[in-house]
Amino acid sequence: WDDESLLSIVAESVKRSKIMKKNTALLKEIEEQNRKIEAATQIIDRELKLKEKKLMESEKTISSVQKQLGSINDLLARISSGKTFRDLISATLDGLNSIVKCEVSSIVSVTEGSDVFNIYYSGKDHSSKLSLNNDFNSVLSTIKDRNYGPLILNSIYATKSNRELLLGNSAIYSMLLYPIYIKSGYGAPSTFIIVLGRTGKDSFEKSDVNKLKDISSSIYATLQRIETVDYIQSSLKQWENAFNSILDPLFIVSTNYEILRINEAVEKKIGAGSAACVGKKCYQLFKNLQEVCNDCLVNKVISSGNPSTSDGSICFENKSILATAYPVMDKNGINSVIQYNNDRSSEFKLYKQLVQAEKLAAIGMLAANIAHEINNPLGGILAYSQLLKSSFADNESIYSDLNEIESACQRSKNIISNLIDFSRDTSKDKKAVFSVKKLIHDTLPLMNICLKSHKLIVDLNGNEDLFISGNMGQLQQVLFNLITNSVHATPSGGEIKIRVENNNNGYMLIQISDTGCGINECDLARIFEPFFTTKEKGKGTGLGLFVSHGIIKDHGGEIKVVSKMNEGTVFSIDIPVWSENNDSLYNQTI
């Protein structure tokens, strides 16, 4: 080769060598960059995996939070829908069960300074005024010592007494007590304890406590609402009880005469319940009218704005009612009217009884005065007959006539003496012991006139004489009333029987029977009521049997009656027999 070709080849070789050297350097640089890229890729891949893991954990956390928020929203929705105290309790406990898994739950309420507490269960009425026992006192003290912090009791620490008391289930293994202290606006502060229970070996953990802590503000608001509703319902119940405790008819009407509320006395008057009356017009309900009554008290109150009173029957068929209506005001004026109807029937009844009692007292006083007036001339007749008798021999005919006059005078004086004893007030007499035979023998002479046209049979239990401890004058009055009733019910020639019998059980039987007209079955149940009588007007006061019934009751006895129409009537008195064992109890013996 020539020099020029050689130089060209060398120059080309040098150039090519430089290119190859440069390519080698570039390859090394590319390899280095590739290593750096691979390392960066690995780092990015690790970061991506970590971020993916954190994202998955975040998604789980978000899902858990969303679930918890859903449970809280469900709890709040349940609480918002609760209208009654029981609804609120059930809603709260059911909502808590969805947040913290448990088998049973309750809410315990303890008022500060009280020795009792309440337990509220889901769907059940709460138990009131339970006494604090030693086990629960210990739990309560522990909660207070922990500054009202949550408490988890497992196994034996959840004592059987507390399991049964707080959750009503002795099979509970683990208990979570979450206390909330509330300063009540209705009284002393209260401690509410949410009690959750699990069976088996599944214990409560700190995570369960944290779930309750996360919603503690909602629970606090819920318990405050429960307390408020309980207070309101208790107040309403107290008002309702007071409203219904008024024995006189009381009702509230609106300004357009619609019934808003009636008490139980009104329900009894009209024979209809409150639900059937509310919303009806008062004039339709009480008077069956189509327009407002002429003398309507409600109308007067609405027109004048002042209370109004009317004496007489306004809304009820009773002439002894004093009705008073009062306006109920608000910022817009009268919004309703309360009408109170004072039923004075019992007052009038007592007044009539008083009048009758005064009449009887006047008659008794008159009888006593007449008896005294008659007794004076009888004493003179008796004295003169005895003087005349001394002037004649026993065998003379006039002597027997004078003897008959003396006997008649003596009988008359005995009758008058018995009449005076019968008519006087014996209510304040001391108890005495007397023979039942003497009681009957002293009473029968008073009945000679009314018994003269009847057949009288007296059976005094043979030779055995029974004794009674009590007021002889009052028991005479009983016999007098019963015999008089038998005489009035029995036609002339009829039979009247008085029988005494020892029942041998500490009581004796005094029976007055007749063969008269009898008593209607419908009247039989009312014969001992005051002023009830089947006699014609002017022939009976209706007090005889009423008074007799009271006297026998006061003497520890009982009076019964059996009667059949057109066959007769039997009055039976069971009264205790006096015995010598209690002779020292009484002041005198007749």
Side-chain angles (χ1 to χ4, degrees):
W1 57 73
D2 53 20
D3 291 339
E4 186 177 350
S5 299
L6 180 60
L7 290 171
S8 176
I9 290 170
V10 170
E12 185 68 31
S13 297
V14 171
K15 183 179 180 181
R16 193 172 174 183
S17 175
K18 287 181 178 180
I19 290 172
M20 288 179 65
K21 188 177 179 179
K22 189 176 182 179
N23 285 341
T24 300
L26 288 172
L27 284 172
K28 288 182 178 179
E29 186 177 351
I30 289 170
E31 286 178 357
E32 184 64 26
Q33 291 293 331
N34 283 338
R35 282 196 298 270
K36 288 181 179 179
I37 290 171
E38 186 177 351
T41 302
Q42 288 177 353
I43 291 171
I44 291 171
D45 187 51
R46 284 197 301 270
E47 289 292 330
L48 287 173
K49 286 182 178 178
L50 287 172
K51 289 185 181 295
E52 184 180 1
K53 185 178 179 181
K54 288 182 179 179
L55 183 61
M56 290 178 66
E57 289 176 352
S58 298
E59 286 179 351
K60 288 182 179 178
T61 303
I62 292 170
S63 175
S64 176
V65 171
Q66 286 178 337
K67 186 177 180 181
Q68 189 172 0
L69 288 174
S71 299
I72 293 172
N73 290 332
D74 180 60
L75 171 63
L76 295 175
R78 288 170 182 266
I79 293 169
S80 299
S81 64
K83 295 181 180 179
T84 65
F85 181 81
R86 187 189 296 178
D87 291 341
L88 283 172
I89 292 294
S90 298
T92 303
L93 292 175
D94 292 344
L96 290 173
N97 292 349
S98 65
I99 295 172
V100 180
K101 180 187 174 184
C102 62
E103 280 76 32
V104 288
S105 59
S106 68
I107 297 176
V108 179
S109 144
V110 183
T111 304
E112 194 170 287
S114 174
D115 293 331
V116 297
F117 66 100
N118 295 332
I119 301 179
Y120 309 98
Y121 303 96
S122 177
K124 298 179 182 178
D125 291 331
H126 66 274
S127 303
S128 297
K129 295 184 178 179
L130 297 172
S131 298
L132 295 172
N133 60 28
N134 292 332
D135 283 346
F136 183 63
N137 257 331
S138 176
V139 170
L140 198 59
S141 298
T142 304
I143 289 173
K144 290 180 179 179
D145 293 340
R146 293 164 61 95
N147 197 23
Y148 295 93
L151 186 64
I152 295 176
L153 301 175
N154 293 328
S155 186
I156 60 173
Y157 298 102
T159 62
K160 183 179 179 181
S161 171
N162 282 327
R163 285 178 292 180
E164 292 179 346
L165 177 67
L166 304 180
L167 294 171
N169 190 338
S170 60
I172 294 299
Y173 173 76
S174 181
M175 294 172 63
L176 170 57
L177 290 83
Y178 193 87
I180 293 180
Y181 184 78
I182 294 179
K183 290 185 176 181
S184 173
Y186 309 107
S190 298
T191 301
F192 284 85
I193 305 174
I194 296 170
V195 186
L196 307 179
R198 288 178 180 171
T199 57
K201 298 295 182 180
D202 188 9
S203 301
F204 287 102
E205 299 176 354
K206 189 175 181 179
S207 59
D208 298 313
V209 175
N210 291 334
K211 289 178 183 179
L212 293 178
K213 283 184 177 179
D214 291 339
I215 61 169
S216 58
S217 59
S218 299
I219 296 174
Y220 184 89
T222 300
L223 294 176
Q224 274 195 323
R225 182 174 178 182
I226 287 174
E227 188 181 41
T228 303
V229 170
D230 187 33
Y231 176 79
I232 292 172
Q233 288 189 346
S234 298
S235 300
L236 288 174
K237 188 67 176 178
Q238 185 178 11
W239 181 87
E240 184 179 355
N241 290 338
F243 188 76
N244 285 322
S245 295
I246 298 173
L247 300 179
D248 291 319
L250 180 69
F251 58 85
I252 306 173
V253 294
S254 65
T255 51
N256 60 351
Y257 307 101
E258 288 184 355
I259 296 291
L260 300 177
R261 191 66 183 267
I262 63 174
N263 69 349
E264 291 179 357
V266 176
E267 294 179 9
K268 292 177 182 178
K269 282 279 186 184
I270 63 178
S274 179
C277 300
V278 173
K280 289 186 176 181
K281 302 289 185 182
C282 58
Y283 50 82
Q284 292 177 342
L285 181 67
F286 298 134
K287 292 292 189 178
N288 197 24
L289 299 175
Q290 298 304 315
E291 58 184 13
V292 180
C293 306
N294 293 331
D295 299 324
C296 180
L297 277 181
V298 175
N299 188 28
K300 292 179 182 179
V301 171
I302 294 172
S303 301
S304 65
N306 298 315
S308 183
T309 301
S310 178
D311 192 358
S313 177
I314 300 298
C315 297
F316 305 100
E317 296 299 327
N318 189 328
K319 299 297 182 182
S320 56
I321 283 184
L322 178 65
T324 305
Y326 305 90
V328 179
M329 312 292 290
D330 60 15
K331 61 181 181 180
N332 298 320
I334 299 175
N335 64 11
S336 58
V337 177
I338 298 176
Q339 183 168 317
Y340 171 67
N341 305 274
N342 182 13
D343 190 349
R344 297 181 297 171
S345 303
S346 57
E347 295 177 21
F348 280 106
K349 190 174 184 180
L350 289 173
Y351 174 73
K352 291 178 180 177
Q353 292 179 2
L354 179 61
V355 170
Q356 289 290 343
E358 288 179 349
K359 288 181 179 178
L360 291 175
I363 292 172
M365 187 178 295
L366 179 62
N369 290 333
I370 292 174
H372 279 295
E373 292 298 327
I374 296 175
N375 203 28
N376 291 331
L378 276 177
I381 296 172
L382 181 60
Y384 282 115
S385 64
Q386 289 173 345
L387 287 173
L388 287 171
K389 278 176 62 179
S390 63
S391 303
F392 297 95
D394 294 349
N395 56 358
E396 295 186 50
S397 59
I398 194 171
Y399 185 88
S400 59
D401 294 336
L402 291 172
N403 197 43
E404 187 63 32
I405 292 172
E406 183 184 4
S407 299
C409 287
Q410 196 63 51
R411 285 197 304 271
S412 298
K413 283 180 67 65
N414 290 337
I415 291 172
I416 291 169
S417 177
N418 290 337
L419 181 60
I420 292 172
D421 290 339
F422 177 74
S423 62
R424 71 183 180 87
D425 181 11
T426 60
S427 59
K428 297 181 181 179
D429 286 359
K430 295 181 179 179
K431 284 187 176 181
V433 179
F434 51 87
S435 162
V436 69
K437 290 183 178 181
K438 176 176 175 57
L439 171 68
I440 294 173
H441 286 316
D442 285 357
T443 305
L444 287 179
L446 299 172
M447 315 297 299
N448 283 340
I449 296 176
C450 64
L451 285 170
K452 63 181 181 181
S453 59
H454 295 77
K455 182 180 179 182
L456 177 64
I457 300 175
V458 180
D459 180 3
L460 298 182
N461 197 39
N463 295 324
E464 183 182 6
D465 199 0
L466 304 174
F467 291 86
I468 301 173
S469 65
N471 189 310
M472 184 171 176
Q474 289 182 348
L475 292 177
Q476 267 191 298
Q477 185 178 353
V478 173
L479 290 178
F480 186 89
N481 288 334
L482 295 180
I483 295 171
T484 301
N485 286 344
S486 294
V487 169
H488 290 167
T490 306
S492 181
E495 181 180 288
I496 295 173
K497 185 175 181 180
I498 301 172
R499 184 169 72 91
V500 176
E501 180 182 330
N502 189 353
N503 291 335
N504 294 317
N505 60 355
Y507 283 79
M508 73 172 76
L509 171 69
I510 303 175
Q511 200 172 72
I512 293 93
S513 59
D514 62 63
T515 56
C517 59
I519 305 171
N520 280 323
E521 188 176 350
C522 59
D523 295 331
L524 208 56
R526 300 186 58 197
I527 60 171
F528 294 113
E529 292 181 7
F531 303 108
F532 177 78
T533 180
T534 58
K535 298 176 183 177
E536 298 178 9
K537 188 174 181 179
K539 292 189 177 181
T541 63
L543 285 173
L545 291 177
F546 170 69
V547 171
S548 299
H549 184 270
I551 290 172
I552 296 301
K553 282 288 183 183
D554 288 341
H555 282 74
E558 186 177 6
I559 183 169
K560 301 176 184 178
V561 59
V562 177
S563 183
K564 290 185 179 180
M565 291 301 295
N566 302 320
E567 292 187 17
T569 303
V570 179
F571 280 92
S572 300
I573 299 172
D574 286 315
I575 193 165
V577 178
W578 175 84
S579 63
E580 293 182 358
N581 295 332
N582 54 7
D583 182 47
S584 60
L585 296 177
Y586 304 105
N587 301 68
Q588 54 183 321
T589 301
I590 299 176

